[in-house]
């Protein structure tokens, strides 16, 4: 091959390589766009849920101000999950399954002013949202076995939720609900009479679930929990 022909061949080869590189870059750009990649990929994504410190867990629990018309029977309190007693209480399954990478617990309880109904709140927080999500179904299996067979609607609170109702005493009913809000798993309990005029409002479990979930979300957003029930 002449020197001129060799030069032309080399130019064609270089042009072909550049074209392949350009096509590859274009394909990569399209793939990143399709998969949400690139520098701005996370700009519209949901922010990662924050884990809660011990004092934040206590603040999430409703207090007297958040529960007008109800009296505190167990003051809001929080503590570490790193004890066998707490693990067995919240995660009674074999090997305390569901408590892996849990951090803190909290609980509070109330009685209606007429002493005819009770409400209870408790929660467990986790290191991150994936840990809480993995624990949710495990803990709900432990909960629903003891909480009744009738499904109860809690609305759209949290990322996961479930509730059941069952009889309590001679003329009573108890509802237990479980909700996951980011890195926390919450439980609500409501019990009262099924007989007028002392009957517990059928929407009360939904109301306190919304209250508790909102307070948990406020804390994970870095805000002071302030959600409260409306006085009726």
């Amino acid at each position: 091959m002449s020197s001129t022909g060799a030069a032309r061949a080399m130019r064609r080869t270089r042009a072909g390589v550049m074209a392949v590189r350009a096509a590859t870059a274009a394909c990569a750009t399209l793939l990143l766009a399709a998969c949400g990649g690139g520098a701005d990929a996370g700009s519209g994504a949901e922010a990662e849920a924050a884990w809660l410190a011990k004092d934040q867990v206590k603040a999430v629990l409703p207090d007297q101000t958040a529960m007008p018309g109800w009296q505190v029977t167990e003051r809001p309190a929080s503590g570490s999950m790193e004890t066998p007693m707490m693990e067995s209480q919240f995660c009674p399954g074999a090997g305390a399954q569901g408590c892996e990478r849990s951090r803190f617990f909290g609980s509070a309880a109330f009685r209606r002013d007429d002493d005819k109904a009770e409400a209870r709140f408790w929660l467990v927080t986790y290191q991150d949202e994936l840990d809480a999500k993995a624990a949710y179904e495990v803990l709900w299996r432990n909960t629903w076995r003891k909480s009744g067979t009738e499904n109860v609607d809690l609305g759209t609170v949290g990322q996961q939720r479930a509730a059941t109702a069952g009889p309590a005493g001679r003329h009573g009913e108890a509802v237990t609900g479980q909700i996951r809000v980011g890195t926390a798993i919450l439980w609500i309990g409501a019990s009262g009479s099924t007989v007028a005029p002392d009957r517990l409002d059928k929407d009360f479990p939904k109301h306190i679930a919304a209250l508790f979930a909102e307070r948990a979300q406020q804390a994970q957003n870095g805000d002071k929990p302030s959600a409260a029930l409306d006085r009726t």
Side-chain angles (χ1 to χ4, degrees):
M1 180 182 295
S2 67
S3 58
T4 302
R8 289 175 178 171
M10 185 175 292
R11 285 196 295 269
R12 286 196 297 269
T13 300
R14 288 174 178 170
V17 170
M18 294 300 293
V20 170
R21 287 177 178 172
T24 302
C27 289
T29 301
L30 289 172
L31 286 171
L32 285 171
C35 298
D40 298 327
S43 59
E46 183 178 344
E48 183 178 350
W51 59 266
L52 299 176
K54 181 181 174 181
D55 59 337
Q56 290 176 301
V57 170
K58 183 177 179 181
V60 166
L61 294 161
D63 55 14
Q64 186 70 72
T65 302
M67 295 284 290
W70 294 72
Q71 298 300 317
V72 175
T73 56
E74 179 187 325
R75 293 184 180 279
S78 60
S80 172
M81 282 292 292
E82 294 181 359
T83 66
M85 183 179 72
M86 286 299 100
E87 288 186 346
S88 64
Q89 179 175 340
F90 286 96
C91 305
Q97 189 179 7
C99 278
E100 297 89 345
R101 287 168 57 84
S102 58
R103 296 180 58 85
F104 300 105
F105 73 91
S107 62
F110 298 80
R111 181 179 293 117
R112 200 168 63 189
D113 283 348
D114 62 4
D115 291 336
K116 301 293 185 179
E118 296 181 344
R120 185 171 180 81
F121 304 85
W122 59 108
L123 76 157
V124 172
T125 65
Y126 290 82
Q127 184 69 34
D128 59 38
E129 190 166 4
L130 289 178
D131 294 324
K133 188 174 182 179
Y136 181 88
E137 292 296 340
V138 175
L139 298 185
W140 179 242
R141 285 197 297 270
N142 292 330
T143 300
W144 74 262
R145 292 190 183 105
K146 301 174 289 185
S147 62
T149 58
E150 181 183 349
N151 290 329
V152 175
D153 178 24
L154 293 183
T156 59
V157 295
Q159 289 80 48
Q160 294 172 274
R161 86 288 306 167
T164 57
R170 186 175 179 183
H171 298 295
E173 182 179 64
V175 175
T176 302
Q178 180 176 300
I179 309 112
R180 182 179 69 81
V181 178
T183 59
I185 295 180
L186 324 175
W187 291 268
I188 57 99
S191 59
S193 175
T194 58
V195 180
D198 303 322
R199 182 185 295 116
L200 188 66
D201 183 349
K202 66 180 180 63
D203 289 328
F204 180 69
K206 183 184 293 188
H207 295 328
I208 62 173
L211 162 73
F212 203 14
E214 184 175 354
R215 291 178 70 91
Q217 189 62 64
Q218 288 173 331
Q220 291 181 51
N221 290 346
D223 300 324
K224 181 179 179 180
S226 60
L229 287 181
D230 291 332
R231 181 181 287 275
T232 56

